[in-house]
Amino acid sequence: MSVSSTTPATTAEELSEGGRRELPQKRAKAALSEGKRQERRLGWLLCAPAALVMVAVTAYPILYSFWLSLQRYDLKFPSEREFVWFANYATVLSNGYWWTAFGVTLLITVVSVAVELVLGMALALVMHRTLIGRGLVRTSALIPYGIVTVVAAFSWRYAWTPSTGYLANLLSDGAPLTERASALSIIILAEIWKTTPFMALLLMAGLALVPEDLLKAASMDGASAWQRFTRVMLPVMKPAILVALLFRTLDAFRVFDNIYVLTNGANETSSVSMIAYNNLMKGLNLGIGSTMSVLIFLAVAIIAFVFVKLFGTAAPGSSDEGRR
Amino acid sequence: MATLDTGPRAKLKWGLLDAVVVVFALIPVLWVVSLSLKTTATLTDGNFIPREWTLDNYRLIFQTDQFVRALINSIGIALISTLIAVVLGTMAAYAISRLDFPGKALLVGVSLLIAMFPQVSLVSPLFNIERQTGLFDTWPGLILPYITFALPLAIYTLSAFFKQIPWDLEKAAKMDGATQAEAFRKVIAPLAAPGVFTTAILVFIFCWNDFLFAISLTSTEQSRTVPVALSFFTGASQFEDPTGAISAAAVVITIPIILFVLFFQKRIVAGLTSGAVKG
Amino acid sequence: MADIVLDKVTKSFPDGTTAVHGIDLEIADGEFVILVGPSGCGKSTTLNMIAGLEDITSGELRIGGQRVNDRAPKDRDIAMVFQSYALYPNMTVRENMAFPLKLAKMAKEEIDRKVGEAAKVLELTEHLDRKPANLSGGQRQRVAMGRAIVRSPKAFLMDEPLSNLDAKLRVQMRTQVSRLQKQLGTTTVYVTHDQTEAMTLGDRVVVMRGGHLQQVGDPQTLYDRPVNLFVAGFIGSPSMNFLPATVEENALRCPMGELALDDRLRRLLTAADAPRQLVLGIRPEHFEDAALVDQAGKGFTFTAPVDLVESMGSDKYVYFSVEGGPAVAADLEDLAADAGGADVPHDRANLVTRLSAESRVRGGQEARIWMNVDKIHLFDPSSGRNITLQEEEPAGVAAS
Ligand SMILES: Nc1ncnc2c1ncn2[C@@H]1O[C@H](COP(=O)(O)OP(=O)(O)O)[C@@H](O)[C@H]1O
Ligand SMILES: [Mg+2]
């Protein structure tokens, strides 16, 4: 019987007479069996349609978008189309409206995600631990998740519309949706209402990973409820929390529907998505709209990069255990 | 801890917390329902509970082409997108969870990127591309981006489900005399069905919910979906306050969501969490 | 029913791992053969190749005299019991057991009758309409057996069918499996990593390691005449003691002292062209309290401090640690790794002895112990070969 004496990793032990003990020999990949080749082919074949659609609808347009962003291209003046290198970027980045929108987007993102994290954690604990009505709580919590954002936004809009709404009458000072500060607060409230349940569900999945015995042991060791939460539960849940934060941050950064319905961007409440949309659909300015698209894409990429690199968020699915 | 503290006081505490959650979640929904049932006269009285009830708003919207057409568009586009996304997603997820082939990690990575992609970045290029290819303001023009953004969701959720299937069963079925096809049809498919169904619900909710693509890539009633139609609603005449009609339409498109949530709460929770956390 | 023949069967996985290296094995009709070995040694792979669940890379597999390498599992007429039981969760117990018969397009009444019979044999009659999820581990295991026996296949393959049960149930089921096999007389290949299970169950035991056969034989032969260090150490519980031994002029020096070399040993050593450094192996029951041995004539007596005494009622396990260091051989490291790799101190060797219950030996005291020199085995540390077997023909098949 042959011993793989060519394998550098082979130690004296494996070379013992008879070679009864052999390390798994890592041979060159050249010798693929027929079954293996079939498996590969089947794998590619099954994935091809999904991959093609995803790449065709995202990769090509984003490149095309970059190409458009280097041109002056206004559908109202199609004859003036011209290649202008990075002039559009200079225009956008030196524009006050863009930075206002950027600030609004950041504000909405940071505040809503922070509040959602706290509320979501509370909701997750309630859903996970409640003694009664667990099904009822979970069912009601899913309603904000499932409901069409535009529908919820209309509900909030009418609630705060003077004379029509039940909430507008609570506050005496006129029309809250027409003042910047209160309008932004309402937008954030609408975001929080809509997405806290999703956050809570992700966190609840993390909670389920906390071993019950660990909590019991901690309380035997004299940890208070708060200490059990901070010292035992949070560390175990950290990966789930980071994933939830990443998803929600990127999602919040795309805020559009709520603003469109609640204020339509009036009184400087536009988000970046909103002004990109306005430049495109109202202004019909493809060059500037595309520039903004690319900038938003870059901003999102930076956020994702920060999460993954700085906080070490494990991208879901990256740990690939897909063996039978 | 649940085991340490189960007395009546704890129950009361949890009961109150439960009530807060339920109220928080339901009030905006009930408010729209209430608005949709108010008469024109009482519409602006600011009461949470209507004083006078009417179904006029519902009658009205079902008489306008604008809404009925949008409802058909919404249902058609969401169903077709769901069907295609789930079929393609099932194929890919099966391959990811069961087969070994180079490029698997790449596919998982790409779909993760797409899940995080800012959709507005696609609006301008797609707007231009669709205008040039004639897809603008058509069903396929919306179905394509919907499938694209639903696919990562479908692939994650399904591969999480597929990884839980004990694949030994396939071997067992073969030993029991089944062909590959019989093993799949009689043993694996019945086990995979709940996961596929759950994924279909999640994908449907996603498509049903979209506003940005729908408002950017449509321009007429021909393919406008309900969320967009709502924002263009003007009521029976140009000058009438559309609040009642919008509320009624909003209630109509909320009904399927409520039904899903009521009947499939457990599955939706399982689907959302397995896809996102266990991946 | 049929015999199963493996002729130089080899399995290489696509990633380059060769899990099974040219195995030759003949399993007679109706025989109960056990494949045993540490986990990862290729037992499941071998079984899967017999089943048709894995392709055979090279070599030939014959069932009932016919080459079946290229036959699909369903055309081999073999039933298999899995470690995870692999019960179909969406079917009731009845449907699970009827599944193979339905696939074989058997008539409904016939199916009912067969399922009923099997259920009766396995005491599952009152559970027939329950789903597997509502059954206990032992019941699930029986359903898995039931699904295998209903179709009266040519052979049964079982892959660690009892290892998910708790210890007591495992012993009970062991006897049941054995009885069932005798009753049905169906050729059976049974995989386990538990040597006790292997020794108690089978007509013949096949010891595997790293994809190679080590020794094939009936349990007693494996126990008394292991062909190499690995088999000697793997079979038996507590396992054989291994000590370093050096061949001197007229004696064999080992940690307990110097053993005189008799003619037999001298002949064996010369015949085997043995190195000077050897590994001495001796089983715990081949020691005795010297005070209880009538004629200490043939044998060797030594004195050592007692570490620990475990009284089992019927006899006593007495542990010593003797100076001179543990025996060193590649095979022994493998065995230690398989057993959980306990760290052994480097300058002392542990000795486990099984003495009569009447022995007065106490922990912490010196004890005089007698050792049956006739029962020692000597192994070549580099190859692991058992030198003491050399003179007679080995009863089993040695590897390579
Ligand atoms: N599908 C596979 N691909 C690559 N290597 C495998 C595969 N299945 C098993 N192996 C390897 O083959 C060897 C034998 O495995 P197996 O037959 O399952 O061992 P056992 O059942 O004796 O514990 C192991 O080293 C294992 O890692
Ligand atoms: Mg195994």
Side-chain angles (χ1 to χ4, degrees):
Chain A
M1 123 200 4
S2 71
V3 175
S4 62
S5 50
T6 46
T7 317
T10 312
T11 61
E13 190 176 289
E14 272 82 50
L15 287 172
S16 67
E17 192 205 287
R20 274 178 220 97
R21 193 189 127 112
E22 277 177 49
L23 285 181
Q25 302 176 23
K26 295 272 175 269
R27 289 223 197 92
K29 291 261 173 185
L32 277 182
S33 73
E34 184 54 30
K36 185 65 188 168
R37 236 177 289 140
Q38 264 176 6
E39 183 175 337
R40 281 185 164 197
R41 223 176 298 135
L42 183 63
W44 285 329
L45 212 65
L46 288 174
C47 289
L52 278 181
V53 172
M54 289 196 291
V55 169
V57 182
T58 55
Y60 172 66
I62 200 75
L63 291 176
Y64 182 63
S65 182
F66 181 65
W67 169 244
L68 286 179
S69 74
L70 301 178
Q71 306 178 26
R72 176 184 304 149
Y73 190 6
D74 190 329
L75 287 179
K76 290 184 304 251
F77 311 103
S79 56
E80 288 176 20
R81 184 170 177 177
E82 183 186 359
F83 195 79
V84 294
W85 287 105
F86 290 94
N88 285 331
Y89 288 86
T91 313
V92 172
L93 290 176
S94 61
N95 182 302
Y97 287 114
W98 165 260
W99 288 112
T100 310
F102 196 79
V104 166
T105 312
L106 276 187
L107 177 81
I108 294 176
T109 304
V110 170
V111 176
S112 64
V113 172
V115 176
E116 276 165 30
L117 180 61
V118 176
L119 285 183
M121 184 64 87
L123 180 55
L125 284 169
V126 171
M127 290 194 293
H128 189 64
R129 295 225 163 264
T130 187
L131 296 176
I132 49 175
R134 184 173 300 198
L136 176 71
V137 175
R138 291 190 180 186
T139 305
S140 3
L142 274 179
I143 286 177
Y145 161 79
I147 216 164
V148 176
T149 315
V150 172
V151 167
F154 269 112
S155 171
W156 292 114
R157 181 168 125 188
Y158 293 141
W160 293 101
T161 303
S163 82
T164 306
Y166 62 105
L167 291 173
N169 300 343
L170 295 180
L171 303 174
S172 47
D173 59 341
L177 281 170
T178 57
E179 275 160 45
R180 191 168 185 230
S182 51
L184 282 177
S185 311
I186 294 171
I187 291 170
I188 291 174
L189 170 73
E191 280 283 302
I192 292 172
W193 178 80
K194 165 87 182 144
T195 48
T196 298
F198 181 65
M199 181 76 119
L201 286 173
L202 295 193
L203 294 178
M204 191 174 75
L207 267 179
L209 300 178
V210 181
E212 197 71 18
D213 282 351
L214 205 59
L215 294 174
K216 284 187 191 151
S219 63
M220 295 307 291
D221 291 343
S224 68
W226 177 249
Q227 282 168 326
R228 287 198 299 266
F229 178 68
T230 54
R231 304 272 175 81
V232 181
M233 283 157 87
L234 283 188
V236 177
M237 289 177 68
K238 191 179 153 209
I241 294 176
L242 283 174
V243 168
L245 277 183
L246 172 62
F247 268 86
R248 272 303 303 143
T249 304
L250 295 179
D251 201 30
F253 198 81
R254 310 188 273 216
V255 56
F256 179 81
D257 306 10
N258 270 320
I259 300 180
Y260 188 96
V261 173
L262 283 167
T263 66
N264 200 8
N267 304 307
E268 301 191 323
T269 54
S270 279
S271 67
V272 283
S273 294
M274 194 76 203
I275 66 166
Y277 169 83
N278 277 338
N279 267 287
L280 189 73
M281 305 310 293
K282 300 232 171 80
L284 292 178
N285 193 331
L286 278 179
I288 295 291
S290 299
T291 305
M292 291 178 169
S293 298
V294 173
L295 287 173
I296 295 169
F297 176 69
L298 288 179
V300 163
I302 290 170
I303 296 176
F305 183 81
V306 167
F307 263 95
V308 172
K309 279 286 170 278
L310 253 54
F311 303 149
T313 311
S318 59
S319 62
D320 168 36
E321 74 281 25
R323 266 278 172 91
R324 51 206 72 175
Chain B
M1 303 311 84
T3 44
L4 300 181
D5 193 9
T6 51
R9 283 186 54 195
K11 282 210 173 119
L12 185 68
K13 189 185 83 181
W14 285 116
L16 283 176
L17 279 172
D18 292 356
V20 171
V21 173
V22 173
V23 168
F24 175 76
L26 289 187
I27 277 202
V29 181
L30 295 178
W31 168 240
V32 181
V33 174
S34 154
L35 278 178
S36 73
L37 294 172
K38 285 184 177 180
T39 57
T40 325
T42 56
L43 196 58
T44 53
D45 63 3
N47 276 322
F48 194 84
I49 298 163
R51 294 251 171 76
E52 294 171 31
W53 303 71
T54 173
L55 287 176
D56 277 354
N57 289 316
Y58 291 92
R59 231 165 271 137
L60 182 86
I61 55 166
F62 278 105
Q63 277 160 8
T64 60
D65 252 9
Q66 212 185 353
F67 177 73
V68 176
R69 181 67 215 183
L71 192 60
I72 293 171
N73 289 338
S74 261
I75 295 174
I77 290 173
L79 280 182
I80 295 174
S81 309
T82 304
L83 183 73
I84 298 176
V86 168
V87 170
L88 298 191
T90 304
M91 285 159 52
Y94 176 84
I96 286 174
S97 53
R98 276 284 279 155
L99 305 175
D100 198 17
F101 58 97
K104 189 158 87 174
L106 185 71
L107 180 75
V108 173
V110 165
S111 43
L112 186 71
L113 280 183
I114 290 175
M116 300 178 172
F117 202 86
Q119 290 153 359
V120 71
S121 290
L122 280 190
V123 164
S124 22
L126 279 183
F127 174 69
N128 210 29
I129 294 169
E130 294 205 346
R131 271 184 335 112
Q132 282 162 9
T133 52
L135 284 173
F136 184 73
D137 199 23
T138 63
W139 279 23
L142 276 184
I143 290 173
L144 266 177
Y146 285 179
I147 296 173
T148 306
F149 282 92
L151 267 176
L153 177 70
I155 292 176
Y156 278 125
T157 318
L158 282 166
S159 20
F161 275 116
F162 283 178
K163 278 174 193 165
Q164 289 166 6
I165 294 181
W167 293 98
D168 251 7
L169 293 181
E170 201 182 55
K171 287 189 193 170
K174 280 190 200 164
M175 290 311 296
D176 283 345
T179 60
Q180 177 85 44
E182 279 172 326
F184 182 79
R185 197 156 43 84
K186 300 203 166 146
V187 175
I188 298 299
L191 295 177
V196 174
F197 182 72
T198 305
T199 307
I201 292 178
L202 294 181
V203 168
F204 184 89
I205 290 178
F206 169 82
C207 301
W208 192 246
N209 203 331
D210 172 77
F211 181 63
L212 181 59
F213 285 122
I215 199 169
S216 312
L217 302 178
T218 63
S219 59
T220 65
E221 280 177 19
Q222 182 190 326
S223 54
R224 227 172 237 164
T225 58
V226 180
V228 178
L230 280 188
S231 70
F232 285 114
F233 248 33
T234 47
S237 72
Q238 284 285 321
F239 309 101
E240 202 175 309
D241 180 8
T243 305
I246 289 181
S247 303
V251 171
V252 172
I253 61 166
T254 304
I255 288 171
I257 302 295
I258 303 263
L259 290 181
F260 284 149
V261 167
L262 278 182
F263 288 114
F264 308 116
Q265 177 257 120
K266 284 216 178 85
R267 288 191 175 178
I268 295 177
V269 171
L272 281 173
T273 51
S274 68
V277 176
K278 287 182 222 132
Chain C
M1 260 166 261
D3 61 330
I4 299 174
V5 178
L6 284 78
D7 188 357
K8 300 208 171 45
V9 168
T10 295
K11 175 71 193 183
S12 298
F13 283 108
D15 63 358
T17 319
T18 302
V20 176
H21 298 260
I23 280 190
D24 286 317
L25 185 64
E26 293 188 15
I27 300 164
D29 187 10
E31 202 179 10
F32 194 164
V33 166
I34 314 280
L35 298 186
V36 69
S39 79
C41 71
K43 307 177 298 283
S44 297
T45 308
T46 307
L47 202 68
N48 285 341
M49 284 192 288
I50 300 177
L53 294 170
E54 295 276 11
D55 292 339
I56 295 169
T57 311
S58 70
E60 193 169 275
L61 173 70
R62 290 187 293 272
I63 298 176
Q66 287 186 310
R67 180 191 148 97
V68 295
N69 284 40
D70 305 318
R71 274 201 209 160
K74 73 186 195 71
D75 302 324
R76 296 190 187 190
D77 193 17
I78 290 178
M80 185 153 171
V81 178
F82 294 81
Q83 178 176 358
S84 62
Y85 312 142
L87 301 180
Y88 310 119
N90 50 326
M91 302 181 194
T92 61
V93 170
R94 185 192 304 279
E95 288 165 339
N96 261 286
M97 297 198 342
F99 188 68
L101 304 179
K102 270 195 195 135
L103 287 171
K105 309 242 164 13
M106 198 175 273
K108 180 121 188 16
E109 309 81 63
E110 182 80 354
I111 293 180
D112 284 348
R113 193 179 56 75
K114 292 207 165 197
V115 170
E117 271 171 24
K120 201 146 102 212
V121 173
L122 292 162
E123 296 166 30
L124 286 168
T125 312
E126 68 260 48
H127 305 304
L128 275 176
D129 293 311
R130 291 165 73 184
K131 289 269 173 76
N134 306 323
L135 299 177
S136 72
Q139 289 164 343
R140 282 181 212 179
Q141 211 285 327
R142 296 208 299 271
V143 178
M145 301 282 298
R147 198 173 61 189
I149 66 173
V150 273
R151 35 187 280 233
S152 328
K154 280 193 196 138
F156 294 134
L157 307 179
M158 308 191 184
D159 193 349
E160 314 214 6
L162 305 182
S163 57
N164 280 351
L165 299 177
D166 60 50
K168 200 159 170 202
L169 204 52
R170 190 152 58 213
V171 175
Q172 269 175 18
M173 282 307 293
R174 202 158 75 194
T175 27
Q176 236 195 38
V177 170
S178 181
R179 199 177 307 134
L180 200 62
Q181 199 273 340
K182 292 280 168 307
Q183 201 177 315
L184 299 170
T186 307
T187 316
T188 302
V189 186
Y190 184 108
V191 162
T192 178
H193 65 265
D194 177 358
Q195 62 89 24
T196 324
E197 212 166 283
M199 296 295 280
T200 47
L201 268 177
D203 299 333
R204 260 195 322 154
V205 177
V206 178
V207 183
M208 287 183 70
R209 172 192 181 209
H212 295 277
L213 292 193
Q214 299 291 295
Q215 189 169 3
V216 181
D218 62 276
Q220 202 59 50
T221 309
L222 292 189
Y223 190 82
D224 292 339
R225 308 168 54 76
V227 294
N228 61 29
L229 260 178
F230 179 80
V231 176
F234 190 76
I235 301 289
S237 170
S239 43
M240 189 184 276
N241 293 292
F242 293 113
L243 300 158
T246 317
V247 183
E248 312 248 290
E249 193 59 21
N250 272 315
L252 192 63
R253 179 190 296 285
C254 66
M256 291 89 78
E258 291 199 357
L259 307 183
L261 279 179
D262 58 13
D263 281 352
R264 186 183 75 104
L265 283 177
R266 216 189 303 268
R267 208 162 3 94
L268 285 171
L269 289 174
T270 353
D273 194 14
R276 272 170 50 84
Q277 285 294 339
L278 296 175
V279 173
L280 181 155
I282 179 149
R283 296 209 180 266
E285 63 270 28
H286 298 137
F287 293 91
E288 189 50 281
D289 187 339
L292 300 174
V293 183
D294 319 331
Q295 36 101 10
K298 186 128 176 59
F300 174 77
T301 310
F302 64 96
T303 312
V306 176
D307 270 354
L308 185 71
V309 177
E310 284 174 0
S311 187
M312 308 300 285
S314 55
D315 36 33
K316 282 190 166 115
Y317 286 124
V318 181
Y319 297 81
F320 299 92
S321 80
V322 289
E323 244 161 90
V328 182
D331 289 12
L332 292 178
E333 285 171 29
D334 269 11
L335 284 167
D338 184 54
D343 276 329
V344 197
H346 280 299
D347 53 339
R348 304 186 75 77
N350 288 319
L351 204 59
V352 185
T353 65
R354 198 169 106 197
L355 311 182
S356 313
E358 298 94 74
S359 167
R360 295 291 159 95
V361 169
R362 290 234 204 101
Q365 295 177 348
E366 294 267 312
R368 263 174 58 74
I369 300 296
W370 174 84
M371 177 170 100
N372 186 348
V373 179
D374 276 348
K375 300 290 186 185
I376 67 170
H377 300 270
L378 291 174
F379 302 92
D380 179 339
S382 59
S383 67
R385 188 166 46 111
N386 187 348
I387 294 165
T388 26
L389 283 188
Q390 218 61 36
E391 114 198 275
E392 314 103 299
E393 265 304 295
V397 181
S400 58

